[in-house]
Structures are given as structure tokens and as C-alpha cells.
Amino acid sequence: MSAKKKNWADGMTDFMEKLAPLFDQPILASIRDGFVALMPLIIVGALVLVVLQFPLCFRDEAACYFESVLPEHISGSLWSVFSVTFGLLSLYIVISVSYALARRRDLDPLMPVFFSFMSFILVASPQLPDGGAGTFLDNSGMFTAIVVSVVSVEIFNFFMKRDLVIKMPEGVPPAITAAFAALVPGAVLAFGWWLVRFVLNFDIAAGLFQVLSAVVPAASTYVAAAIAETFHAFLWTMGIHGDLTIGIALQPVWAANLTANAQAVADGLAPTAVYTEIFRSFVVPGGSGATLPLAIYFTRSKSARLRKVGWLGVWPGIFNINEPITFGAPVIFNPVLAIPFIVITFINTTVAYLATSAGLVGATYIAAPWTLPSPILMFLATGYDWRAIILAILVEFVIPGIIWFPAFKAWEKQVLEKEEAAVKK
């Protein structure tokens, strides 16, 4: 008996199963988790911008911001909070990524984090012979922070797993045993990075900064954003977490652009980078595929099942959570809903990117909780730009509402036909 021929859905399921290990690959997952863990710190730093850049009028003048009415020593000290968050971002990345990777390698994170931190200072900001020091502690040292963290933890793990450590006699307190066990890998890391930086005179931080300077603009163009976001939507329709997938590669780019914008505003300049993580809320308002209008349509459906799914999806959708619709409608493996899901994402990316590039809406530079309703979220993220509210409504309700309606009617018809056929049986 011949084997049953696989259809396209079976083929995509096999593809998903093969791709699944990528999402939990220790190094990539640790980089992703490390950046996610930094969000509270980034939001705290952004609160300074929220306060000092609060508009008192609608003119783009220094006197129209709340900073102008504060005593100078108050506003100046508030900028210090910004400086120790955004200005030391690479240090926090070292701590966060090395901690996440050490946990995934089943190591006690304390010593790997210590030595990763030390290694980064040695590589990126050492005291040089001429008395100067490196200046890669902000977002300019981001890639260096990632590389040093990963390499340092992997070397530490190599020695620990092979028992190439100083062993203490039984009865010695665990804290002392752990400290002596870290001596050998710690010394290898310290003198290894010293050899690279000073003896070989290989300036990793400066080199990776040049790479960052080339990669970030290339990955931030409209073409790159449109491809990435459309691909992310396509993956969702196949049951693959699209945000996590593109985030593995683009999270550093998004973070670099956001911090560059925030620093520009702090320096009195206009933010210019378009493609940040918070910008994506223009692309996926209400969740990937901008499904909130679809959920609203479902609440008025003739199908009892779709009405239930709609009511389950409306309230989370207001806060940008749309799994009830994605999996309940479903959008996954359903061409009727998958096609508009992808098309809407592409159109929203195009409209939002072009509007921001043309100066019709300000660029995003304030990190805010992504679960805020999109118009409020983007109003905050753009530094109280009222035009962001209009754009958010356009990409969340107007464009998706037009595209989702015929898809909703077509899917409702199919669901009703199946329900009637089930009743007849």
C-alpha cells in the first residue's frame, strides 16, 4: 500500500518541527531573553523623556516642554537617570545575556556574570596607556557586549563541564568551593581577553562598532522592514511565532535604533531612526495581523462559534494580545484569513514607515509597555505627537477594517455551511 501523499499543510507542519529547535537554541534564546529582561530598565530610563518632554503647547520650541519650567538642578539631575540607563546600556546587556546563557548551561550564574562583566570592561573600555578609556558603554558597544558575553560564558562552561577547575576538600562551604572553582576559567578569560586586546592589539569593540554602523542602517531600511514584517506574518499563519523568529535577528537592531533616537532627543536633536521595536506597534496594533476589527466583526456573526471567539478576542485585542483570534478563528492554516493577515501587515508597514520617513509622524524614541492600547502607546512612544494617534487609528481600525470585512464574510459563510451540515447529520 503506497504512503499517503502529503498536502501543503503536512509539509509546513514538518517544516515547523524542523525549525522549532532554533527558538530554543541556547545562545540565540539567551540573547533574546537578555534583551527582553532589559525592558523594565529601558522603560525607567524612558520615563525621564516622558516627564521632561511633556508638551505644554503644540509648538516645537524649548519653552513648550515641561523641562523649561523646572529648576535647572532638577532637570539636570533627571538627565542623570537617563544617562545611567541608556548611557550604560551595553553594561546591562552583558549582565543580562551572560546571566540568561549561564542559566541555560546549568551554571550558577554569579561567577559567569562577574567574569563576563570584567571581560567586557577589559575589551571595550580599558584604561589605555595614554590615560584614555574606551567609550563603548552605551548602545555603540551593544554587539561587543553580546559577543563577549557569549564567548565568556561558553569558555567558562567548557572548563566547568570538563572539571578543569581547582577542587576543594569535602566539608568546605559551598560558597568557597564555587569561588575556587571559578579561578581557572576566570584567569583564562582575563588573560585571554588581555592577550587579544593589548598584545595582539585587536580592538574588538571598535571593529564591531563599524559592523554595527553598517548592519543597523541596512536592516532598518523600508525594504528590510517590509520583508521582515511580512515574513513574520507569514510565519504566524503557519503556526510559528513570527515575533520571536525575526526578533532573534533584529532585536539588537531595534534596540540600537531606539537608544540612538532617545540619545538624539537628549542631545536636543530630532530622532531619525524609523525601525524600532516600539515602531512595530504601528505594524501590529491589536496584535499581529491587526485582528481587532476581525474580532469585532466576529461578535456580530451569525455563527455562534465565531461570536464566542469574537468576544474572547475583543478585550485582549484592545491590549495587543490576539491569540484567541489567531488560534480560535483560526488564522493558522486558513488561507481565507491568512492572506489578509499577511497583506494587512505589509500595508501597515508601508504606511507607517513612509509616514514616519516623510515627517508626517515623529519617530519613536520612548519605550512604553506594549500592552497599552495602540493609540495611547504610540502617542507616548513618539513623545506626545498627536499625529501618532491618527496613524495608530488608521493602521488599527481603518485599513484592517476594510480588508478584514470581505474575509470575515467569506469565512463566516464557510463556518455556517459546516455548522448546518453538522446539524443535518
Side-chain angles (χ1 to χ4, degrees):
M1 184 176 178
S2 60
K4 182 181 177 182
K5 186 178 180 181
K6 290 185 177 182
N7 58 29
W8 69 272
D10 294 329
M12 288 308 303
T13 300
D14 292 341
F15 172 71
M16 289 159 49
E17 291 175 352
K18 293 177 181 177
L19 196 61
L22 176 65
F23 304 129
D24 206 40
Q25 200 282 332
I27 293 176
L28 296 179
S30 297
I31 294 172
R32 179 196 67 213
D33 294 345
F35 275 91
V36 170
L38 289 178
M39 283 309 298
L41 184 141
I42 292 174
I43 290 175
V44 167
L47 288 176
V48 174
L49 298 176
V50 171
V51 173
L52 296 181
Q53 299 290 308
F54 187 83
L56 302 178
C57 61
F58 290 103
R59 297 189 306 276
D60 188 15
E61 301 172 1
C64 283
Y65 294 106
F66 186 61
E67 180 181 8
S68 65
V69 302
L70 290 175
E72 188 173 343
H73 71 282
I74 296 294
S75 60
S77 59
L78 278 175
W79 281 118
S80 297
V81 177
F82 177 86
S83 298
V84 298
T85 50
F86 282 84
L88 299 176
L89 185 63
S90 291
L91 289 179
Y92 302 123
I93 290 173
V94 170
I95 295 170
S96 188
V97 172
S98 60
Y99 178 87
L101 184 55
R103 290 287 300 271
R104 285 182 175 271
R105 295 304 191 194
D106 295 321
L107 298 170
D108 182 345
L110 183 61
M111 290 301 169
V113 170
F114 276 173
F115 284 108
S116 295
F117 186 89
M118 175 212 69
S119 299
F120 177 74
I121 295 297
L122 191 61
V123 168
S125 189
Q127 191 70 29
L128 301 175
D130 62 1
T135 55
F136 295 98
L137 302 183
D138 56 8
N139 63 307
S140 63
M142 189 184 315
F143 277 15
T144 306
I146 295 171
V147 171
V148 170
S149 298
V150 170
V151 172
S152 298
V153 173
E154 290 297 281
I155 291 175
F156 196 97
N157 182 58
F158 176 87
F159 279 84
M160 297 300 290
K161 291 296 189 289
R162 287 161 180 78
D163 233 11
L164 302 174
V165 298
I166 297 175
K167 297 183 180 179
M168 301 299 290
E170 292 186 12
V172 176
I176 296 177
T177 300
F180 274 90
L183 276 176
V184 173
V188 169
L189 286 171
F191 292 107
W193 288 118
W194 165 80
L195 180 68
V196 171
R197 179 64 183 87
F198 291 97
V199 178
L200 301 179
N201 197 28
F202 184 39
D203 192 348
I204 297 175
L208 288 177
F209 177 68
Q210 294 299 319
V211 173
L212 179 67
S213 300
V215 169
V216 171
S220 304
T221 62
Y222 163 70
V223 173
I227 291 174
E229 295 301 336
T230 304
F231 182 60
H232 127 270
F234 170 75
L235 291 178
W236 267 117
T237 65
M238 296 294 109
I240 302 171
H241 200 301
D243 298 88
L244 289 181
T245 304
I246 68 169
I248 288 174
L250 293 176
Q251 193 80 49
V253 174
W254 296 332
N257 284 335
L258 182 68
T259 53
N261 281 351
Q263 189 62 57
V265 173
D267 294 339
L269 304 173
T272 56
V274 176
Y275 197 32
T276 68
E277 186 168 17
I278 202 72
F279 164 83
R280 298 188 67 242
S281 293
F282 278 136
V283 179
V284 293
S288 294
T291 56
L292 187 53
L294 180 62
I296 294 171
Y297 291 148
F298 278 173
T299 64
R300 306 296 296 173
S301 175
K302 299 175 184 177
S303 165
R305 184 180 77 80
L306 292 183
R307 283 199 304 273
K308 184 176 181 180
V309 170
W311 284 113
L312 287 173
V314 165
W315 301 112
I318 293 173
F319 303 100
N320 306 313
I321 299 168
N322 70 337
E323 276 75 5
I325 298 298
T326 305
F327 294 97
V331 173
I332 294 172
F333 293 120
N334 179 0
V336 176
L337 299 181
I339 292 174
F341 188 95
I342 296 170
V343 169
I344 289 169
T345 302
F346 172 76
I347 293 177
N348 277 0
T349 303
T350 301
V351 170
Y353 197 102
L354 295 181
T356 306
S357 298
L360 300 178
V361 175
T364 54
Y365 65 90
I366 296 176
W370 63 270
T371 49
L372 285 173
S374 293
I376 298 174
L377 172 61
M378 302 318 292
F379 178 63
L380 290 175
T382 54
Y384 306 106
D385 187 344
W386 61 270
R387 299 169 299 178
I389 298 176
I390 298 174
L391 180 58
I393 292 173
L394 178 67
V395 296
E396 183 168 18
F397 296 104
V398 179
I399 294 173
I402 293 171
I403 296 174
W404 274 126
F405 186 73
F408 155 68
K409 297 302 290 184
W411 182 237
E412 180 187 47
K413 180 180 178 182
Q414 291 189 23
V415 171
L416 288 173
E417 289 175 353
K418 292 178 182 177
E419 290 176 352
E420 291 174 1
V423 171
K424 291 179 181 179
K425 290 181 180 179

